[in-house]
Amino acid sequence: MSGAKKRNFQIEAFKHRVVVDPKYAEKTWKILEDAIHEIYNHNASGLSFEELYRNAYNMVLHKFGEKLYSGLVSTMTSHLKKIAKSIEAAQGAMFLEELNRNWTEHNKALQMIRDILMYMDRTFIPSTHKTPVHELGLNLWRDNIIHSSKIQTRLQDTLLELVQCERTGDVINRGLTRNITKMLMDLGPSVYQENFEKPFLDVSADFYRVESQQFIEHCDCGDYLKKAEKRLNEEIERVSHYLDARSEAKITSVVEKEMIESHMHRLVHMENSGLVSMIMDEKFEDLGRMYNLLLRVPNGLTIIKEVMTSHIRETGKDLVTDPERLKDPVNFVQELLDKKDRLDKIINLAFNNDKNFQNALNSSFEYFINLNPRSPEFISLFVDDKLRNGLKKDKEEDIETVLDKVMMLFRYLQEKDVFEKYYKQHLAKRLLSGKTSSDDAERSLIVKLKTECGYQFTSKLEGMFTDMKTSQDTMHGFYDAMGAEIADCPTLSVQVLTTGSWPTQSSSTCNLPPEILGVCDKFKTYYLGTHTGRRLTWQTNMGTAVLGATFGNVQKELGVSTYQMCILMLFNHSDRLSYKEIEQATEIPPSDLKRCLQSLACVKGKNVLRKDPMSKDIAEDDAFYFNDKFTTKLYRVKIGTVVAQKESEPEKQETRQRVEEDRKPQIEAAIVRIMKSRRVLDHNNIVTEVTKQLQSRFLPNPVVIKKRIESLIEREFLERDKTDRKLYRYLA
Amino acid sequence: MGIQKDRVRFNVGGRVFETTATTLANSGRNSLFGAMFNENWDLQPNITTTEHFIDRNPDCFSVLLDLLRTGELYIPSNIPEKLLYREALFYGLLDHVRTAKWGPFDGNRLHLARSITGRAPGDGTAIRAGPDGGCCVAHGSMVHVYDWMLEEHPPITLDYQRVNDAIWVDSESIVISACERLGRDDGGMGLFSSSTGELRYKFHVSHENLVKSYTGGALSFNSDYKLFSSCKGRSNEYGVGVWDQVTGKQIDFFYEPQGWSLGDADKLQWLNGTNCLLVATLFPRKDNCYISLLDFRDKSMAWSWSDIGAPIADERRVRDAIAMEETNSICVVNEYEDLGFMDLRSNNGIVRWSSRSRLMKGKMPDEPCYPKLALHGGQLFSSMNDSVSVFCGPDWVLTSRLRNSHGGSICDFSIGGDRLFALHSDENVFDIWETRPLSII
């Protein structure tokens, strides 16, 4: 409001009243004028305050307020002009001292003058909208001293020189400087800004432009950042010591602009010391400094993020496409996990856990992990390894953290259904061979997968666990029911697997030895007797057996697979058998048979069979003998079963094929779901929607989607719109 | 104890007073005593031998010294108040006197301090309390201004046009709005000095870059230095104008939508919590009441209510409205002083009436005045005929009733500066109600 008041006010001519003594006003003013002189000359002790106050009161009362006021202005002005001369005359360093001393004295005098004229200040000045005495004194000081031509530039230069001295390491009189800047602030923000702040910022910008240029030429990135940080802190400290607090943001922005923003590209990309090498060398402190400094300037963090992202992507790409590493899946995944750990640590320690950086890290991992189509398989193999062996070394909680980390990698996968395929296979093998070392760990991972992808994803996996449990119960029931009847037979353990829950294996049955066949048939009868309407098929390719064997006179126990058992049982009746004979008797598929024979005859230390000729490979016309010279220190010998391993090329193709086949119904289901709710939709939108719906499991190929749409049209779920061929219609 | 070191001796107009520097310190730095004993002036107060002569009235000095000692003001009957005020002004103690004269406002503890009979002809239009205890009264084409001592200042006019509303923007300035006269560029809105009555600024309305003459209606302002007024222009430029108090420039205009009324509004109220302006038109041309909340940021009506469609003779016609932000509601009153409440959070148009005074209908005076509402410190005030009712608590229970024996019906009242001013329509009288300061004994 005050602005409006002043702007629109006009001083009117004052209407004088006739006073008895025409010289009354002159006389009274003379007394007050003298008093003001005395105050400026430090002779106030001789004055009577009461008398002066009363005289000023009387002047206002008798309508001489205008005279009093204008008298005050001219008297004070003439004093200030004298003061200006004495300040101008001050030599060198005395200049600021003189200015400061006079400023203190002026303030004191102003206070005393205001005391005398208090009544005028309270009544006459508000009603005439004049400037109050104190403010008037400051304005006059500003106009006559600060804005005097001989003082203004000198003051400004002196102050800037002091700052420059301090920047180059000299010690200055901060107290005096503070008093002077305080004076400028007291005179109003605009005075401070015009006479000091603006030139200060300009000079600072020049200074730091030159200095940063020198630094960037001679320092490496880490050193440069240290220096920039130091300068920044110095400026903040300077503001707190002798500048207006509001200058802090302005001067720091100057330093930020000159020292950081103009060189940030060069700094981040600096050869051998920039961001990339800091990340490689894990220089947390330097990285933290870079983050904090670049945080201050626009786009600073974007640069860090971009460089970091491209670095991660490049190194990640090298990692996942390196053919050497592909040979060891477990190590491959371990490397990924280590890389992630390293980068997480950097983001945590140096980048303040910045969400943007975490996102960039995640998207980079997602990018390069999916560059290798075998990543899902490898991750599953890694889990397999951990769940088979890892537990022995690691403690329980460590397994949890490993699993959590694996889940993190799993999240990056686009083809989650491929992972599911492999995981199912590997889990089946673990379960059937009794190799899982911790049920809790298995279940905990399933729970994690369930949280991540929903229950559909894990329902079959859970079904596998249920089957294992039910089979155990069934076996108890079987033995309870049969009792003595089968006491003489070999001990049988059957796992009844629900079709569909388990990975489909080509059901290549073999001829079981008659000893086993008997008890198997008994079980079949028992099982079908208790469960009606079921079919049982023997999956001989997945079983295991423990055999007692006598080598010479030594009794041993052999742990073997079902196939191997079938082969070994043949040697109960003859000591020599040819490959053909074995194949005929057992009907084991050739590839499996060869592998079995290899593990029985060619592995050193476990060669319970002898082969003729003694070559590494199995040929069709080889002959096998029972090796009664077989010796070992162990009582129980475990013949190597075929372990889950990286798939061979044709197997891989086959899995791929199966995955593609499995995807078809899922894509079709998604299309039908979408069309059912939308009724009419064009091709591009269907593709987008389908991709959106399925991306939690895999990334459907648009070509495949198109094929599925065509197939649905053929089967009359959809039709093309008659007029617009791009549109599809849902047929209920 | 020994001799007190800080004793001070005064000789005021021939009478000697002794007091202590501690007592004098109560007067503050901005007073004669504060300046006198400041270290700049070498008057050491502990020199008990010297006495300080002051050429003033000793009786008043004794009253003021007593005020400094106790904080209580007791004026003997032989001293006219005006004399005391003048002396207090000399010493710089006028603010002390004012704060000691009446206490913090409480609607349930008010007493009638004075009644002032004005000299204006005819009925009063409005009375507005100033921020420091003064008030202004709009009468026809004049606004009479009184300071807290109830001294009358030079009156305010805006080309002697009929005044519609007046508002104190601070203790030094009053804005008044007035009717325009056909064919002359007068009326509108002006800013005046409360002490001299001078016009200091005239607010303009422009439409499509042309300055138009207009009739200024109800006024309001907010803490953002914005000033609002309902405006009626010459060529259907109806609506609510917004001015910047610092620059004086018009910065916004909310045009009246079709079928609604803003330019004729009788009451504007700024709501800090929602950043909206309440606009209430209760005696419109079109015979309907309209209450709306304007949001100037997106030029929308954040909330609205109207009695369009209700029977004309409905006894529940709304006569005044006030928004109560604490409870998110609008309180309205009908001509029988029934209070009604509307929820600001829903736009369902339902008014919950609390019919407490059905009895009123039978005994209306010959010349009734419509009720007015005010809200202050969580208390709700409503004027009706010759009394003001005070309601408190969450259910707005009637707790006090203020009534003066003469003056007739109350046409307007206003609360401010810890005082309540009530303007009577009959005899050009206004009452000042104050809360007594808390007594020491």
Side-chain angles (χ1 to χ4, degrees):
Chain A
M1 201 63 221
S2 62
K5 268 187 232 167
K6 272 173 214 154
R7 190 168 303 108
N8 300 296
F9 173 76
Q10 289 178 334
I11 299 173
E12 285 184 1
F14 207 86
K15 297 183 187 76
H16 288 269
R17 240 181 3 163
V18 184
V19 186
V20 187
D21 181 358
K23 290 202 178 144
Y24 167 79
E26 284 303 326
K27 279 185 192 162
T28 318
W29 167 241
K30 190 79 184 67
I31 298 170
L32 289 168
E33 190 184 17
D34 289 346
I36 293 174
H37 286 309
E38 295 302 311
I39 288 169
Y40 269 108
N41 297 331
H42 316 296
N43 278 332
S45 54
L47 301 172
S48 159
F49 173 75
E50 192 274 337
E51 184 194 343
L52 296 172
Y53 188 94
R54 180 158 37 84
N55 280 326
Y57 171 82
N58 283 332
M59 279 191 80
V60 174
L61 201 65
H62 295 117
K63 309 283 183 226
F64 292 112
E66 193 62 44
K67 183 176 175 59
L68 182 59
Y69 192 85
S70 59
L72 169 69
V73 172
S74 61
T75 312
M76 208 187 274
T77 308
S78 78
H79 269 283
L80 288 174
K81 286 209 186 318
K82 261 185 259 166
I83 292 173
K85 289 245 154 45
S86 88
I87 296 173
E88 283 160 21
Q91 295 298 312
M94 288 308 293
F95 171 70
L96 284 189
E97 300 276 4
E98 186 71 7
L99 181 63
N100 185 36
R101 189 179 60 78
N102 276 298
W103 165 245
T104 321
E105 280 172 10
H106 174 68
N107 265 327
K108 189 177 165 190
L110 187 58
Q111 181 64 54
M112 293 174 78
I113 293 167
R114 204 238 149 197
D115 284 346
I116 303 172
L117 304 180
M118 193 181 278
Y119 190 79
M120 175 182 83
D121 218 19
R122 183 173 299 117
T123 56
F124 173 75
I125 286 177
S127 65
T128 52
H129 306 289
K130 287 186 188 300
T131 315
V133 174
H134 184 75
E135 202 183 327
L136 174 75
L138 296 184
N139 291 351
L140 290 176
W141 175 269
R142 179 192 63 204
D143 298 342
N144 292 295
I145 310 285
I146 302 302
H147 288 171
S148 130
S149 56
K150 286 184 187 148
I151 294 177
Q152 192 166 19
T153 47
R154 192 171 163 197
L155 172 61
Q156 185 179 311
D157 293 348
T158 316
L159 286 175
L160 294 178
E161 217 169 280
L162 286 173
V163 173
Q164 178 64 24
C165 282
E166 209 184 28
R167 275 188 188 137
T168 51
D170 290 349
V171 176
I172 63 161
N173 184 346
R174 283 182 162 180
L176 179 61
T177 321
R178 159 136 209 97
N179 287 346
I180 300 293
T181 51
K182 176 88 171 36
M183 169 187 80
L184 295 175
M185 289 179 244
D186 286 348
L187 294 174
S190 67
V191 178
Y192 173 76
Q193 282 160 16
E194 286 302 319
N195 290 287
F196 175 70
E197 196 180 55
K198 261 185 209 155
F200 166 68
L201 295 176
D202 291 345
V203 167
S204 302
D206 291 342
F207 175 80
Y208 285 118
R209 194 173 305 126
V210 173
E211 192 180 72
S212 64
Q213 198 57 45
Q214 283 170 359
F215 285 169
I216 199 96
E217 302 294 345
H218 298 106
C219 301
D220 69 12
C221 180
D223 283 346
Y224 183 96
L225 292 174
K226 264 181 212 135
K227 286 187 167 144
E229 191 184 42
K230 180 161 163 276
R231 281 304 193 191
L232 204 54
N233 289 336
E234 276 173 14
E235 290 302 329
I236 292 169
E237 195 202 14
R238 181 179 343 279
V239 171
S240 76
H241 275 110
Y242 57 86
L243 301 184
D244 183 8
R246 274 164 295 188
S247 296
E248 186 181 308
K250 299 178 193 168
I251 182 65
T252 48
S253 96
V254 166
V255 181
E256 282 156 10
K257 187 170 173 298
E258 296 302 337
M259 293 209 83
I260 304 169
E261 201 178 345
S262 12
H263 298 295
M264 60 181 174
H265 287 275
R266 192 160 162 192
L267 283 170
V268 171
H269 290 110
M270 208 177 254
E271 227 26 71
N272 299 325
S273 69
L275 178 65
V276 170
S277 61
M278 282 182 186
I279 291 177
M280 306 268 263
D281 302 344
E282 302 198 336
K283 288 187 171 166
F284 298 116
E285 208 175 298
D286 286 346
L287 286 166
R289 191 172 291 119
M290 180 183 274
Y291 175 85
N292 286 325
L293 289 176
L294 267 65
L295 175 69
R296 294 170 152 270
V297 300
N299 294 326
L301 291 189
T302 323
I303 293 179
I304 300 190
K305 201 172 77 186
E306 278 165 6
V307 172
M308 184 189 82
T309 307
S310 69
H311 167 72
I312 299 175
R313 287 188 180 207
E314 244 165 69
T315 50
K317 193 173 168 185
D318 291 349
L319 184 69
V320 297
T321 50
D322 182 355
E324 275 305 305
R325 296 192 197 275
L326 294 189
K327 288 181 182 157
D328 185 354
V330 175
N331 198 34
F332 172 88
V333 176
Q334 190 58 51
E335 293 250 6
L336 286 180
L337 288 178
D338 290 348
K339 188 176 172 65
K340 179 77 171 39
D341 276 350
R342 268 201 313 277
L343 292 164
D344 272 341
K345 198 169 163 200
I346 288 175
I347 289 179
N348 180 22
L349 290 178
F351 296 161
N352 195 26
N353 262 336
D354 193 313
K355 272 270 171 300
N356 284 324
F357 281 67
Q358 285 173 352
N359 292 344
L361 175 66
N362 288 340
S363 75
S364 310
F365 264 80
E366 195 174 329
Y367 161 78
F368 70 73
I369 282 188
N370 289 302
L371 282 181
N372 186 343
R374 305 195 65 175
S375 294
E377 183 190 348
F378 286 3
I379 293 173
S380 178
L381 278 171
F382 178 79
V383 176
D384 190 59
D385 179 66
K386 288 292 162 204
L387 290 175
R388 271 168 192 270
N389 317 317
L391 285 172
K392 291 162 201 159
K393 306 175 246 176
D394 303 326
K395 289 183 201 132
E396 194 76 5
E397 56 260 64
D398 288 344
I399 269 295
E400 271 300 301
T401 48
V402 169
L403 292 184
D404 276 333
K405 283 178 184 169
V406 170
M407 281 311 293
M408 190 182 59
L409 291 183
F410 169 75
R411 257 170 239 141
Y412 297 138
L413 290 179
Q414 274 166 0
E415 299 188 302
K416 297 198 171 60
D417 57 340
V418 177
F419 174 84
E420 187 197 356
K421 277 273 155 2
Y422 284 110
Y423 188 75
K424 214 156 123 186
Q425 278 176 22
H426 297 153
L427 176 64
K429 280 181 186 162
R430 278 203 301 281
L431 289 176
L432 295 178
S433 59
K435 283 290 172 50
T436 94
S437 26
S438 161
D439 231 31
D440 286 345
E442 291 280 4
R443 284 186 187 279
S444 129
L445 187 65
I446 299 237
V447 169
K448 287 184 210 302
L449 288 169
K450 195 170 176 175
T451 348
E452 199 64 34
C453 299
Y455 78 99
Q456 279 173 321
F457 194 89
T458 55
S459 62
K460 287 184 180 171
L461 303 179
E462 281 171 350
M464 288 159 75
F465 278 97
T466 322
D467 281 351
M468 295 305 289
K469 181 84 181 61
T470 347
S471 302
Q472 243 177 34
D473 296 345
T474 314
M475 284 324 290
H476 280 304
F478 175 62
Y479 275 101
D480 286 351
M482 294 301 169
E485 199 179 324
I486 50 168
D488 304 339
C489 302
T491 317
L492 182 72
S493 167
V494 180
Q495 272 129 16
V496 184
L497 313 181
T498 315
T499 320
S501 292
W502 297 75
T504 41
Q505 298 266 353
S506 46
S507 58
S508 42
T509 45
C510 64
N511 292 335
L512 289 171
E515 298 92 327
I516 310 293
L517 205 56
V519 69
C520 282
D521 285 341
K522 283 205 177 88
F523 176 79
K524 201 165 178 174
T525 330
Y526 165 79
Y527 186 82
L528 294 178
T530 46
H531 301 84
T532 44
R534 301 217 178 161
R535 251 182 58 207
L536 277 184
T537 320
W538 295 104
Q539 295 276 341
T540 45
N541 53 338
M542 298 207 272
T544 55
V546 178
L547 297 176
T550 320
F551 298 96
N553 293 322
V554 191
Q555 192 72 26
K556 296 276 178 198
E557 227 174 56
L558 300 177
V560 292
S561 73
T562 308
Y563 283 156
Q564 287 165 340
M565 172 196 74
C566 295
I567 297 166
L568 289 177
M569 291 292 263
L570 294 177
F571 288 90
N572 277 341
H573 309 293
S574 64
D575 274 350
R576 180 193 179 280
L577 288 168
S578 71
Y579 177 85
K580 284 281 169 216
E581 283 168 329
I582 297 176
E583 191 180 10
Q584 234 161 30
T586 59
E587 289 180 15
I588 296 173
S591 65
D592 288 324
L593 182 58
K594 276 183 187 165
R595 251 190 288 180
C596 286
L597 287 169
Q598 207 168 12
S599 56
L600 289 169
C602 304
V603 181
K604 212 176 166 210
K606 294 185 178 175
N607 48 338
V608 290
L609 294 183
R610 266 187 307 117
K611 188 169 84 75
D612 187 34
M614 297 266 281
S615 60
K616 278 274 168 204
D617 293 314
I618 308 292
E620 303 250 332
D621 44 8
D622 285 351
F624 297 88
Y625 305 89
F626 179 67
N627 183 10
D628 53 1
K629 301 216 169 52
F630 175 75
T631 52
T632 175
K633 277 177 263 173
L634 303 166
Y635 172 68
R636 185 172 183 155
V637 185
K638 201 166 160 187
I639 309 292
T641 41
V642 187
V643 232
Q645 262 170 5
K646 215 171 53 151
E647 285 188 313
S648 59
E649 199 56 32
E651 279 176 318
K652 208 174 79 190
Q653 293 294 348
E654 199 190 314
T655 314
R656 191 79 226 167
Q657 197 65 41
R658 272 211 310 278
V659 167
E660 293 296 341
E661 278 308 314
D662 282 0
R663 280 180 185 181
K664 282 182 190 169
Q666 292 190 40
I667 296 174
E668 284 180 1
I671 296 171
V672 170
R673 262 199 308 276
I674 292 158
M675 290 309 290
K676 202 166 178 176
S677 63
R678 297 300 216 43
R679 314 307 292 186
V680 181
L681 207 63
D682 67 285
H683 183 80
N684 287 345
N685 271 320
I686 293 187
V687 173
T688 335
E689 290 268 334
V690 169
T691 315
K692 213 162 87 188
Q693 281 207 1
L694 293 175
Q695 68 190 2
S696 69
R697 296 177 56 78
F698 60 92
L699 213 58
N701 187 340
V703 182
V704 178
I705 298 178
K706 187 154 189 279
K707 278 202 184 123
R708 290 300 99 209
I709 292 174
E710 275 158 10
S711 150
L712 285 170
I713 291 173
E714 267 171 36
R715 283 178 282 159
E716 296 190 331
F717 281 98
L718 307 177
E719 65 171 4
R720 277 183 202 279
D721 193 273
K722 306 259 177 333
T723 47
D724 188 347
R725 302 299 285 170
K726 271 189 214 139
L727 284 183
Y728 300 111
R729 237 168 236 296
Y730 180 69
L731 297 172
Chain B
M1 288 282 285
I3 298 166
Q4 271 186 296
K5 287 272 163 52
D6 68 343
R7 250 198 279 171
V8 187
R9 187 191 289 243
F10 283 107
N11 181 336
V12 182
R15 241 160 80 190
V16 175
F17 294 85
E18 272 197 53
T19 180
T20 58
T22 324
T23 300
L24 292 176
N26 290 336
S27 60
R29 180 65 181 86
N30 269 335
S31 68
L32 177 123
F33 305 117
M36 202 168 179
F37 296 111
N38 187 277
E39 55 188 8
N40 287 342
W41 303 94
D42 282 337
L43 301 169
Q44 290 311 313
N46 55 356
I47 308 166
T48 39
T49 48
T50 49
E51 59 179 37
H52 306 290
F53 179 76
I54 302 178
D55 185 11
R56 302 300 302 184
N57 181 325
D59 293 340
C60 291
F61 184 84
S62 116
V63 173
L64 293 172
L65 190 59
D66 193 50
L67 170 66
L68 289 179
R69 282 170 177 151
T70 62
E72 262 191 334
L73 183 66
Y74 177 71
I75 310 175
S77 51
N78 65 333
I79 299 178
E81 272 190 36
K82 205 173 163 180
L83 179 66
L84 184 80
Y85 295 154
R86 191 193 67 200
E87 290 301 299
L89 183 62
F90 174 83
Y91 296 110
L93 295 174
L94 203 53
D95 285 343
H96 292 70
V97 170
R98 192 188 62 187
T99 39
K101 226 177 125 42
W102 66 89
F105 190 82
D106 178 354
N108 292 319
R109 290 178 54 231
L110 295 175
H111 75 106
L112 181 64
R114 260 178 89 178
S115 283
I116 304 273
T117 309
R119 62 174 79 82
D123 290 356
T125 311
I127 189 160
R128 295 285 178 261
D132 58 1
C135 72
C136 65
V137 185
H139 257 289
S141 57
M142 299 258 270
V143 175
H144 298 275
V145 185
Y146 298 82
D147 60 26
W148 69 266
M149 296 170 275
L150 303 170
E151 284 297 305
E152 190 172 351
H153 288 254
I156 297 173
T157 71
L158 189 57
D159 306 314
Y160 295 102
Q161 288 305 293
R162 200 169 62 76
V163 174
N164 284 327
D165 199 1
I167 190 170
W168 293 77
V169 289
D170 58 46
S171 59
E172 262 302 304
S173 331
I174 297 174
V175 171
I176 67 171
S177 59
C179 294
E180 59 157 346
R181 232 180 330 222
L182 273 177
R184 284 168 55 174
D185 180 26
D186 52 14
M189 226 164 68
L191 176 83
F192 295 85
S193 158
S194 64
S195 49
T196 62
E198 296 163 305
L199 173 64
R200 299 229 300 276
Y201 187 75
K202 204 166 162 182
F203 296 94
H204 292 287
V205 164
S206 51
H207 294 282
E208 287 148 1
N209 295 324
L210 289 173
V211 174
K212 305 276 177 124
S213 78
Y214 65 102
T215 290
L219 297 166
S220 180
F221 68 93
N222 71 6
S223 52
D224 238 2
Y225 300 104
K226 281 181 190 154
L227 185 66
F228 304 89
S229 171
S230 55
C231 298
K232 288 188 278 186
R234 183 63 48 76
S235 42
N236 289 328
E237 289 121 353
Y238 283 67
V240 176
V242 187
W243 290 265
D244 187 319
Q245 285 183 39
V246 178
T247 63
K249 296 278 177 285
Q250 183 193 344
I251 49 175
D252 209 346
F253 200 89
F254 198 114
Y255 286 93
E256 182 175 298
Q258 199 71 39
W260 200 259
S261 173
L262 296 177
D264 272 332
D266 300 287
K267 180 154 195 163
L268 303 183
Q269 184 190 356
W270 177 258
L271 309 184
N272 277 321
T274 49
N275 270 312
C276 286
L277 185 74
L278 171 94
V279 182
T281 311
L282 306 164
F283 301 93
R285 320 157 256 159
K286 297 173 199 158
D287 269 335
N288 277 111
C289 299
Y290 301 89
I291 303 177
S292 42
L293 248 58
L294 306 187
D295 191 335
F296 282 88
R297 289 164 297 189
D298 57 356
K299 282 280 181 339
S300 67
M301 278 206 222
W303 184 91
S304 61
W305 173 88
S306 160
D307 61 358
I308 297 174
I312 298 276
D314 189 353
E315 64 196 26
R316 288 191 161 159
R317 160 135 301 174
V318 169
R319 289 309 180 191
D320 198 8
I322 191 163
M324 304 190 291
E325 288 200 88
E326 288 81 11
T327 54
N328 278 310
S329 55
I330 287 186
C331 176
V332 294
V333 65
N334 69 0
E335 56 195 271
Y336 306 111
E337 214 190 356
D338 290 334
L339 297 181
F341 297 92
M342 291 187 260
D343 195 338
L344 273 177
R345 285 162 300 191
S346 72
N347 248 329
N348 58 12
I350 296 172
V351 186
R352 281 186 295 108
W353 289 98
S354 63
S355 306
R356 29 161 221 96
S357 52
R358 281 286 153 156
L359 305 165
M360 294 291 288
K361 234 198 289 185
K363 43 178 183 179
M364 296 293 284
D366 299 338
E367 203 185 331
C369 278
Y370 287 130
K372 298 248 165 143
L373 293 171
L375 192 67
H376 193 277
Q379 298 174 323
L380 183 66
F381 297 79
S382 152
S383 70
M384 182 70 192
N385 300 331
D386 61 347
S387 63
V388 177
S389 309
V390 186
F391 304 89
C392 295
D395 299 323
W396 304 115
V397 181
L398 177 65
T399 53
S400 298
R401 187 162 271 165
L402 317 174
R403 182 183 277 129
N404 182 12
S405 53
H406 70 289
S409 297
I410 294 172
C411 65
D412 195 16
F413 74 101
S414 171
I415 302 168
D418 286 328
R419 277 173 156 176
L420 184 147
F421 298 88
L423 178 64
H424 297 274
S425 68
D426 288 5
E427 295 173 31
N428 188 15
V429 167
F430 67 91
D431 304 328
I432 299 98
W433 298 79
E434 297 168 355
T435 308
R436 283 200 181 90
L438 284 171
S439 173
I440 291 176
I441 307 163

